[in-house]
Amino acid sequence: MVMIAPSILAADFTRLGEEIAQVEAAGADLLHVDVMDGHFVPNLTIGPPVIKAIKSVTQLPLDVHLMVEQPDALLPDFIDAGSDNLTVHVEACRHLHRTIQSIKDAGVRASVVLNPATSLHALDEILSEVHMVLLMSVNPGFGGQRFLPATLDKIRALREQIEQRRLPVSIEVDGGVKADNAAEICAAGADVLVAGTAIFGQPDYGAAIQALRAA
Ligand code: DX5
Ligand code: ZN
């Protein structure tokens, strides 16, 4: 069963609470929150105070994607704010194992994410420690970009490794996911689809989530 994680980056921030209530009512499984620091990626978004506010208005698990340089110092604030899953970029963590460990020690799910140009080999020594691997299917920083087709082979290869090693690790895909490519992304082996504009850019969020699920 594939899970759908609307990315609030594409929501109307002037009505964020209502937008979240609507995707929750429409059957979302997780809420994907994109944190950008203006250094790791060329864009700035939101931080712990906003996550804390979101946490108070939704039952949906908060899937927090940290696009920040050296996340370690910030982790306690994201944990206190109510993150249910924290995903860190392997490209941003000098001591990835320590970072993953400190997230898990706080009782929060710990996941890793790879940029499009980062090889799956970067996961070899950490795969057994994580809850989920997020594969970026666009270069991170902005919503509304086009899905990079090379991601499909990457998803398939990762799925194979996870099966071979019999690990309970989920595969999440983020960037350019739409109703018309969701089927091939899931067939390749994805468990969680992140979708920003494919949900918040549509007039009917229920229909948009349904369309992704049906695919
Ligand atoms: C991009 C973010 C994505 C983004 C996806 O850096 O990580 O989560 O919101 O947006 P869409 O679905 O519009 O490509
Ligand atoms: Zn994201």
Side-chain angles (χ1 to χ4, degrees):
M1 185 60 177
V2 170
M3 300 217 276
I4 309 291
S7 165
I8 60 161
L9 188 61
D12 178 349
F13 280 180
T14 66
R15 303 169 33 252
L16 190 53
E18 285 167 53
E19 293 273 77
I20 290 168
Q22 280 186 39
V23 289
E24 187 165 3
D29 299 295
L30 301 169
L31 201 63
H32 186 81
V33 181
D34 288 306
V35 176
M36 305 186 187
D37 69 349
H39 295 277
F40 182 71
V41 288
N43 195 6
L44 271 168
T45 56
I46 61 171
V50 176
I51 292 175
K52 193 170 184 180
I54 292 171
K55 185 73 182 175
S56 71
V57 298
T58 186
Q59 302 290 322
L60 290 174
L62 301 185
D63 174 33
V64 178
H65 176 190
L66 294 179
M67 284 160 276
V68 304
E69 288 289 359
Q70 302 186 5
D72 299 74
L74 298 167
L75 291 177
D77 288 343
F78 284 105
I79 290 162
D80 290 348
S83 306
D84 294 281
N85 174 78
L86 282 168
T87 302
V88 295
H89 272 267
V90 302
E91 303 88 356
C93 296
R94 189 169 294 162
H95 297 285
L96 182 59
H97 189 278
R98 176 185 289 151
T99 303
I100 292 298
Q101 215 52 54
S102 57
I103 296 170
K104 295 204 296 190
D105 286 349
V108 172
R109 288 179 159 174
S111 302
V112 288
V113 41
L114 302 186
N115 279 334
T118 303
S119 164
L120 290 180
H121 290 303
L123 297 172
D124 286 351
E125 308 301 328
I126 202 71
L127 194 57
S128 60
E129 299 296 321
V130 299
H131 171 63
M132 190 159 73
V133 174
L134 171 54
L135 295 179
M136 288 310 302
S137 41
V138 298
N139 285 295
F142 304 94
Q145 303 181 78
R146 206 179 314 184
F147 181 86
L148 297 168
T151 315
L152 291 172
D153 280 341
K154 209 171 176 182
I155 300 168
R156 278 188 276 269
L158 178 58
R159 170 55 57 200
E160 211 176 292
Q161 280 186 35
I162 289 172
E163 300 295 323
Q164 264 173 18
R165 294 175 61 180
R166 297 169 190 268
L167 296 171
V169 177
S170 306
I171 302 177
E172 182 177 40
V173 177
D174 184 9
V177 176
K178 310 269 177 228
D180 62 11
N181 60 15
E184 51 184 351
I185 295 169
C186 294
D191 305 291
V192 184
L193 301 180
V194 176
T197 46
I199 294 174
F200 288 105
Q202 301 296 312
D204 180 342
Y205 299 165
I209 290 173
Q210 234 4 81
L212 288 166
R213 232 188 258 291

